[in-house]
Amino acid sequence: MSASPIFLGVIGVGGVGTAFLQQLARLPNAPQLVVLARSSQTLLAPTPAYSPAIPAADWATAAATPSLTKSGALQAEEIATYLASAPGRAILVDNTSDISLARQYPTFLKKGISVVTPNKKGFSDDLSLWKDIFASAAEGKALVYHESTVGAGLPVLSTLKDLVATGDEVTRIEGVFSGTLSFLFNTFAPASGSSDAQWSAVVAQAKELGYTEPDPRDDLNGMDVARKLTILARIAGLEVSSPDSFPIESLIPAELASLPSSADGITQFMSRLPEFDAQMANVKDTAEKQGKVVRYVGSIDVAAKAVKVGLQYFDKDSAIAGLKGSDNIISFYTKRYGANPLIVQGAGAGGDVTAMGVSADLIKVVERLR
Amino acid sequence: MSASPIFLGVIGVGGVGTAFLQQLARLPNAPQLVVLARSSQTLLAPTPAYSPAIPAADWATAAATPSLTKSGALQAEEIATYLASAPGRAILVDNTSDISLARQYPTFLKKGISVVTPNKKGFSDDLSLWKDIFASAAEGKALVYHESTVGAGLPVLSTLKDLVATGDEVTRIEGVFSGTLSFLFNTFAPASGSSDAQWSAVVAQAKELGYTEPDPRDDLNGMDVARKLTILARIAGLEVSSPDSFPIESLIPAELASLPSSADGITQFMSRLPEFDAQMANVKDTAEKQGKVVRYVGSIDVAAKAVKVGLQYFDKDSAIAGLKGSDNIISFYTKRYGANPLIVQGAGAGGDVTAMGVSADLIKVVERLR
């Protein structure tokens, strides 16, 4: 509750990082930005005063500020040492999607530096890293907030944590966790009205709109969803060893899985995808005949300790079927909430809403450290 | 972050209060319960040690504990003085729906006692009380958490506060905020299938199931919804002077409004309600002819500073129309979220889920005070 200074290091100035810096600039009582790093360059507030601070602005503006110390890429260990020596508590915001930086969270945390991040890699990798992160946080009396690793700024992890912490029994978690796959299925098999579009055409459209990764197979393989499920399952108390320890239904036809990930491989993939349209049309029709629609979902059955990711049929009047655009939806079935789940729905991707989750976490960490 | 002791006073042992005590008993690192009060009796841990603490249990068990100081009802001021003298930070949990206790929050807060409550009265009364509460909290460096005042344990206020704090522009908030009115309209005018039930029969059924207040007019007058809207609008930045400062469409026929609130008055109201079934059938049919359904909603247009509560028509495939049982739904339209709102949905009433919001708030306050 005291007003001791808090120091902030930010790594990553991509889409999320840039949106985060814009939000940081407008936060009242924001911590002092003393490290701003991107892949090949680092800005530091000069020691030993850690002042003047770096302005919270886009990279070019920040880098043009006089009186900052500039260097090439620093090792995570060096940034941790710099932050730990600041005259007050420190926070690292990791706005990258870099697994190697995530593996260094324990180094920061043990030094008492709290971590806030939308980077899902560290929390969805081997269970040993998950355990190391939280043990290191306890050891360093530091905090770890990672709301935006699932559903971006939507209140997903905070809600699950509240349910667990207050003693509710979470029985099942189910939802659409990928904005890309949400768009693909809402377009391919809408719950109201109908669509004649072939699956491959919908994928091509999504790629053109920039809704997919540069290589759409990075969405279609289901791994992004599997990583999110891993995080949720662990918070719900399941010891999921890794995101490939449970069934994931890939939407990449087996025949195309071995095409290279090069630009040429992507082109080949897109041009051959129509060969498999009949398969997806068949899935759609089968659902249709049951009065249902097909969706790509992740689910966690807590009691059965079963996590899975793949296609499933849903009643047309269900919340999952009625999803719009590229929205996510997450349903928590619990003992207290009974037959009707607690549902959170909305945009689950995008720079601004992802950064919002990061900023809101940062505010909470600052409130706890002050 | 230190492990200094925190002392807890709890007032109210009704449905929410009893569920809260059950949850408190299972919280790790719970604060020490040193005051437990109901309308006519108070239990206190003996001074000056404020130890042994009161067990977190139902009233009868707690009251049977030896070594506690017992008294009749204490003034709020006396409880505040007792808590403020404890050897550590203190928190008041108000599990009543008592406006007069809510008017005393500033007394507690100025003494540094944080307040956690599901009691919506204090936050939805005159704007002067709202301002006094938050000014007193700042003065006493105390915290105020009241998640369960809107939507019970659903993450409604925390989500709105995060949106506002991170600089999003909330343009509109809309939803079904009453479990009772949700049940009435989901039953009277379901979005899928159809119902022949008359309005008065649905009200009678809800009353029988215990879904309404003992006097159903306390639900039908819309005031509970208006109080929740007042709280949301204030957090969104609107200076709403009181919950009767904006249009509220009452579902009590004008001809029956003056019936007394006695048991006899309630009986008369229920027996005369069928006279007005044609009016509600007409509303339902009008919606039907437009392919829509009628729902009782609250909405806040932030830019226009317009708050209103009443009947509105919704497309049958909309999330509000598809609501089940007595669920609440709250949609936040914001600049960042664009055309598709951020939606929170689920049970918005009931002892367990309301207490969950209180317990989760308590955990957050303890985390910030430690």
Side-chain angles (χ1 to χ4, degrees):
Chain A
M1 304 289 291
S2 62
S4 52
I6 296 179
F7 298 90
L8 180 65
V10 176
I11 304 180
V13 291
V16 174
T18 301
F20 168 76
L21 289 168
Q22 284 167 1
Q23 294 179 21
L24 180 67
R26 296 173 54 184
L27 285 193
N29 309 311
Q32 298 173 43
L33 182 63
V34 293
V35 179
L36 183 61
R38 62 175 187 175
S39 44
S40 57
Q41 290 167 285
T42 311
L43 307 177
L44 300 160
T47 53
Y50 288 76
S51 168
I54 304 167
D58 60 277
W59 176 267
T61 307
T65 310
S67 82
L68 299 180
T69 305
K70 293 172 193 178
S71 83
L74 296 183
Q75 298 294 315
E77 174 82 37
E78 293 174 284
I79 294 176
T81 301
Y82 172 88
L83 284 172
S85 306
R89 300 299 304 261
I91 303 168
L92 172 74
V93 171
D94 168 18
N95 282 329
T96 74
S97 56
D98 182 356
I99 177 70
S100 59
L101 178 55
R103 291 208 174 97
Q104 298 294 325
Y105 293 164
T107 305
F108 287 88
L109 293 163
K110 279 181 196 152
K111 290 180 192 286
I113 301 161
S114 295
V115 172
V116 172
T117 185
N119 179 355
K120 65 178 87 67
K121 299 283 172 58
F123 304 93
S124 59
D125 216 72
D126 284 348
L127 184 61
S128 58
L129 178 55
W130 169 277
K131 287 184 173 173
D132 193 11
I133 288 170
F134 290 100
S136 301
E139 186 186 327
K141 293 188 175 15
L143 304 170
V144 181
Y145 276 63
H146 57 104
E147 181 66 69
S148 284
T149 56
V150 180
L154 297 175
V156 176
L157 298 191
S158 53
T159 298
L160 178 57
K161 285 178 181 174
D162 282 352
L163 289 166
V164 171
T166 62
D168 199 355
E169 194 183 306
V170 178
T171 53
R172 194 155 63 89
I173 304 170
E174 179 181 76
V176 172
F177 294 92
S178 154
T180 309
L181 292 165
S182 180
F183 175 84
L184 292 177
F185 284 92
N186 300 343
T187 308
F188 178 60
S192 53
S194 67
S195 162
D196 292 332
Q198 296 294 314
W199 173 250
S200 62
V202 176
V203 175
Q205 182 196 359
K207 185 173 188 305
E208 215 146 287
L209 289 167
Y211 290 179
T212 68
E213 296 292 324
D215 185 344
R217 286 172 295 179
D218 290 338
D219 298 297
L220 297 173
N221 66 11
M223 271 310 291
D224 174 71
V225 177
R227 286 193 175 275
K228 291 168 182 167
L229 270 278
T230 300
I231 296 171
L232 288 169
R234 286 173 177 171
I235 294 174
L238 299 186
E239 295 224 321
V240 176
S241 62
S242 75
D244 47 20
S245 66
F246 51 83
I248 305 167
E249 183 176 354
S250 172
L251 298 178
I252 303 173
E255 294 86 339
L256 306 185
S258 59
L259 290 173
S261 58
S262 60
D264 188 49
I266 298 171
T267 307
Q268 281 186 60
F269 173 76
M270 292 304 291
S271 72
R272 291 194 55 192
L273 195 56
E275 297 169 23
F276 304 89
D277 278 341
Q279 286 179 21
M280 287 300 283
N282 186 37
V283 169
K284 178 180 166 177
D285 291 346
T286 307
E288 199 83 40
K289 276 176 197 140
Q290 300 173 27
K292 300 188 176 190
V293 290
V294 62
R295 293 290 181 265
Y296 193 84
V297 297
S299 65
I300 300 166
D301 180 332
V302 179
K305 300 187 182 182
V307 184
K308 64 178 181 184
V309 173
L311 295 174
Q312 222 171 289
Y313 299 160
F314 290 89
D315 288 336
K316 287 191 175 180
D317 67 348
S318 67
I320 283 186
L323 218 54
K324 304 277 194 296
S326 56
D327 277 4
N328 286 12
I329 185 169
I330 297 94
S331 298
F332 297 101
Y333 292 84
T334 82
K335 194 173 169 201
R336 280 186 204 138
Y337 277 89
N340 294 339
L342 190 171
I343 298 174
V344 177
Q345 181 180 332
D352 281 343
V353 296
T354 304
M356 173 206 153
V358 178
S359 300
D361 276 353
L362 178 66
I363 292 170
K364 291 177 184 101
V365 170
V366 167
E367 285 173 345
R368 289 184 63 179
L369 295 181
R370 280 216 166 109
Chain B
M1 303 289 293
S2 62
S4 52
I6 297 178
F7 298 91
L8 179 66
V10 176
I11 304 180
V13 291
V16 174
T18 300
F20 168 77
L21 289 168
Q22 284 167 2
Q23 293 178 20
L24 180 66
R26 295 173 55 186
L27 285 192
N29 309 313
Q32 298 173 42
L33 182 63
V34 293
V35 178
L36 183 61
R38 61 176 187 177
S39 45
S40 58
Q41 289 167 285
T42 310
L43 307 177
L44 300 160
T47 52
Y50 288 76
S51 168
I54 304 166
D58 61 278
W59 177 267
T61 307
T65 311
S67 81
L68 299 180
T69 306
K70 294 172 191 177
S71 84
L74 295 183
Q75 299 292 317
E77 174 83 38
E78 294 174 284
I79 294 177
T81 301
Y82 172 87
L83 284 173
S85 308
R89 301 297 305 258
I91 303 168
L92 172 74
V93 171
D94 168 17
N95 282 328
T96 75
S97 56
D98 183 356
I99 177 72
S100 58
L101 178 54
R103 291 206 174 100
Q104 297 295 324
Y105 293 163
T107 305
F108 287 87
L109 294 164
K110 279 179 196 154
K111 290 179 192 288
I113 302 161
S114 294
V115 171
V116 172
T117 186
N119 179 355
K120 65 178 88 66
K121 299 283 171 61
F123 304 93
S124 58
D125 217 72
D126 285 346
L127 184 62
S128 58
L129 178 55
W130 169 276
K131 288 184 172 173
D132 194 11
I133 288 171
F134 291 100
S136 301
E139 185 186 328
K141 293 189 176 11
L143 303 170
V144 181
Y145 276 64
H146 57 105
E147 181 66 68
S148 284
T149 56
V150 179
L154 298 175
V156 177
L157 298 192
S158 52
T159 299
L160 178 57
K161 285 178 182 174
D162 282 352
L163 290 166
V164 172
T166 62
D168 199 356
E169 195 183 306
V170 179
T171 52
R172 193 155 63 90
I173 304 170
E174 178 182 76
V176 172
F177 294 92
S178 154
T180 309
L181 293 166
S182 180
F183 175 84
L184 292 176
F185 283 92
N186 299 343
T187 309
F188 177 61
S192 52
S194 67
S195 162
D196 293 333
Q198 296 294 314
W199 173 250
S200 62
V202 176
V203 174
Q205 182 196 0
K207 185 173 190 303
E208 216 148 284
L209 289 167
Y211 289 180
T212 69
E213 296 292 323
D215 185 343
R217 287 172 293 180
D218 290 337
D219 298 297
L220 298 173
N221 66 12
M223 270 310 291
D224 173 71
V225 177
R227 285 192 175 276
K228 291 169 181 166
L229 270 278
T230 300
I231 296 170
L232 287 169
R234 286 173 178 172
I235 293 173
L238 299 186
E239 296 225 321
V240 176
S241 62
S242 75
D244 46 20
S245 66
F246 51 83
I248 305 168
E249 182 175 354
S250 172
L251 298 178
I252 303 172
E255 294 87 339
L256 306 184
S258 59
L259 289 173
S261 59
S262 61
D264 188 50
I266 298 170
T267 307
Q268 279 187 60
F269 172 77
M270 292 304 291
S271 72
R272 289 194 54 194
L273 194 55
E275 297 171 22
F276 303 89
D277 279 340
Q279 285 178 20
M280 285 301 281
N282 187 39
V283 169
K284 179 180 166 177
D285 292 346
T286 306
E288 199 83 40
K289 275 175 199 141
Q290 301 173 25
K292 300 188 176 190
V293 291
V294 62
R295 292 291 180 265
Y296 192 84
V297 298
S299 65
I300 300 166
D301 181 332
V302 178
K305 300 187 181 182
V307 183
K308 65 178 181 184
V309 173
L311 296 174
Q312 223 172 289
Y313 298 160
F314 290 89
D315 289 335
K316 287 190 174 181
D317 67 348
S318 67
I320 283 186
L323 219 54
K324 303 277 192 299
S326 54
D327 277 3
N328 286 13
I329 186 169
I330 298 94
S331 298
F332 297 101
Y333 292 84
T334 82
K335 193 172 170 202
R336 280 187 204 139
Y337 277 88
N340 294 339
L342 189 170
I343 299 175
V344 176
Q345 180 179 333
D352 282 342
V353 296
T354 305
M356 172 206 153
V358 178
S359 300
D361 275 354
L362 178 65
I363 291 169
K364 292 178 184 101
V365 170
V366 167
E367 285 173 345
R368 290 184 62 179
L369 294 181
R370 279 216 166 109

